[in-house]
Amino acid sequence: MTETATPPAVVGKLSTLDRFLPVWIGAAMAVGLLLGRGVPGIGTAIEKVQVDGISLPIALGLLVMMYPVLAKVRYDRLDTVTGDRKLMVSSLVLNWLVGPAVMFALAWLMLPDLPEYRTGLIIVGLARCIAMVIIWNDLACGDREAAAVLVAINSVFQVLMFAVLGWFYLSVLPGWLGLEKTNIAISPWQIAKSVLIFLGIPLVAGFVTRRYGERAKGRNRYEQRFLPRLGPWALYGLLFTIVILFALQGDQITSHPVDVVRIAAPLLAYFAIMWGGGYLLGAALRLGYARTTTLAFTAAGNNFELAIAVAIATYGASSGQALAGVVGPLIEVPVLVGLVYVSLALRRRFRAAASSEAVTTTATRITSDKGRSVS
């Protein structure tokens, strides 16, 4: 999806894949759930296809999903992002101070009687997104370079801070507040491994493709011919990943509908607070549409692959904590797809505000110039 392909006047020019994206995502979710429910042992079979605890089907889907987007990034422009202190500081605050605290509060307020699900949601809140957020940001015409930088920063903080924050929010803070404490066991290597595979591989591949593609074909040919052919594979990878994720736990999700609803409620509140808060903050700081959108989506997204892996490794595959992690993408995928369209609608307001500000500035200058000429 390109910047120019979103206004209503040109919706008809979008590819079938882009125009009916919500339909394809809904179908992928349904297919995954049906496979998980209707094909005995499919979840177990998929889980067995792994290397050192990493699911190969999920890894394949995520790599195919992220590579085309990262091949579009203009790596020569990254310095314009790292120099934007307002964006960088805002992202760090939203992701590593606000996000975990909001999920902790919502989990305790809305699931006080369900400790396993509550713990699972707190783990989800600690796992900041490094994969699907790149897709949501690209579909919403956010700043690709900013997304690449913020995701990379989240990855570093994830390796350094995940275990520390898990200990704080599950053991220390509940103790201070007189609440029930729990423990989490996760090695820094397990987190680093997830980051290296799910972000490192497609990031390096995208960088190498961009660097040598431009050298061989020239920038115009690379962007106008090669990238349009590569682009649809991001959505193919997304749909494949959704099918696999939902097939893994389709039986568990459909067997516990009431529990799914209980888990979904704080997740919906979390996405609304984080995405809305990110958008309001970006607008207040005048980051512009593209970077405001990137800030909002990176704040709202979560790394469910890591959260599920941690929950399974610590509490077991059939645990309530694991179910809470699995329900995460069940809620995140349709919600963030909806927010993509909300973002695209808000873009008009950003443009209108920018135009109004430009007119006001011009009028002020003209008035000032007239005053000077009179004097």
Side-chain angles (χ1 to χ4, degrees):
M1 181 178 293
T2 62
E3 182 88 12
T4 59
T6 49
V10 293
V11 168
K13 297 181 181 179
L14 291 174
S15 68
T16 302
L17 184 64
D18 282 337
R19 191 169 25 203
F20 297 106
L21 180 61
V23 176
W24 308 137
I25 288 179
M29 293 169 64
V31 169
L33 289 173
L34 290 172
L35 286 174
R37 181 72 178 179
V39 181
I42 189 171
T44 303
I46 293 174
E47 287 177 350
K48 288 182 178 179
V49 186
Q50 60 175 269
V51 175
D52 196 20
I54 299 294
S55 169
L56 293 184
I58 291 178
L60 175 63
L62 290 174
L63 295 179
V64 172
M65 177 184 75
M66 294 176 66
Y67 165 62
V69 180
L70 291 171
K72 295 177 183 177
V73 170
R74 285 285 302 274
Y75 293 93
D76 56 328
R77 293 178 178 172
L78 294 186
D79 59 333
T80 65
V81 179
T82 55
D84 190 340
R85 293 184 179 180
K86 292 189 293 185
L87 175 66
M88 304 289 282
V89 172
S90 299
S91 179
L92 287 173
V93 169
L94 286 173
N95 275 286
W96 297 101
L97 294 179
V98 178
V102 167
M103 188 68 91
F104 175 86
L106 290 172
W108 272 101
L109 287 172
M110 304 180 78
L111 300 173
D113 56 328
L114 297 171
E116 289 190 358
Y117 297 154
R118 185 177 63 235
T119 298
L121 285 183
I122 292 173
I123 292 173
V124 167
L126 300 176
R128 312 314 300 168
C129 196
I130 63 171
M132 284 191 180
V133 70
I134 291 182
I135 286 289
W136 309 136
N137 177 75
D138 202 54
L139 290 171
C141 298
D143 189 317
R144 288 182 185 133
E145 289 71 34
V149 170
L150 296 184
V151 163
I153 292 174
N154 276 347
S155 301
V156 174
F157 269 77
Q158 205 152 239
V159 174
L160 297 175
M161 298 301 298
F162 187 93
V164 174
L165 289 175
W167 167 72
F168 176 76
Y169 279 104
L170 294 175
S171 298
V172 177
L173 186 56
W176 291 351
L177 300 175
L179 303 173
E180 180 184 354
K181 296 189 291 185
T182 186
N183 296 313
I184 183 173
I186 181 67
S187 70
W189 165 241
Q190 185 174 353
I191 302 168
K193 180 174 61 177
S194 174
V195 169
L196 288 172
I197 292 175
F198 295 132
L199 177 63
I201 293 175
L203 184 60
V204 171
F207 174 79
V208 171
T209 301
R210 163 69 77 167
R211 185 177 180 86
Y212 290 98
E214 285 190 356
R215 285 185 178 180
K217 302 174 182 293
R219 178 167 295 169
N220 289 336
R221 189 176 177 189
Y222 176 84
E223 293 185 344
Q224 295 173 12
R225 291 193 177 185
F226 177 71
L227 289 183
R229 296 177 187 173
L230 185 65
W233 284 94
L235 297 182
Y236 299 151
L238 172 65
L239 297 176
F240 176 79
T241 303
I242 291 171
V243 171
I244 296 299
L245 282 173
F246 283 71
L248 278 170
Q249 299 291 340
D251 183 61
Q252 197 170 4
I253 290 173
T254 55
S255 298
H256 302 85
V258 176
D259 291 348
V260 169
V261 172
R262 289 289 305 274
I263 296 168
L267 282 170
L268 286 170
Y270 172 83
F271 291 134
I273 292 170
M274 295 303 297
W275 189 88
Y279 236 93
L280 290 174
L281 180 58
L285 294 174
R286 297 187 176 184
L287 296 179
Y289 171 79
R291 290 190 175 177
T292 295
T293 296
T294 301
L295 180 66
F297 278 101
T298 52
N302 292 90
N303 186 352
F304 287 105
E305 301 80 27
L306 176 60
I308 293 170
V310 170
I312 291 175
T314 305
Y315 305 102
S318 60
S319 65
Q321 291 88 341
L323 177 60
V326 169
V327 172
L330 175 69
I331 306 303
E332 182 187 75
V333 169
V335 168
L336 292 190
V337 168
L339 291 176
V340 165
Y341 288 91
V342 173
S343 292
L344 294 173
L346 289 174
R347 184 171 57 168
R348 299 176 193 168
R349 296 195 175 186
F350 273 83
R351 286 175 173 170
S355 299
S356 177
E357 185 175 342
V359 169
T360 302
T361 302
T362 301
T364 302
R365 288 176 179 172
I366 292 173
T367 303
S368 177
D369 290 342
K370 286 182 177 178
R372 289 175 183 172
S373 62
V374 169
S375 63

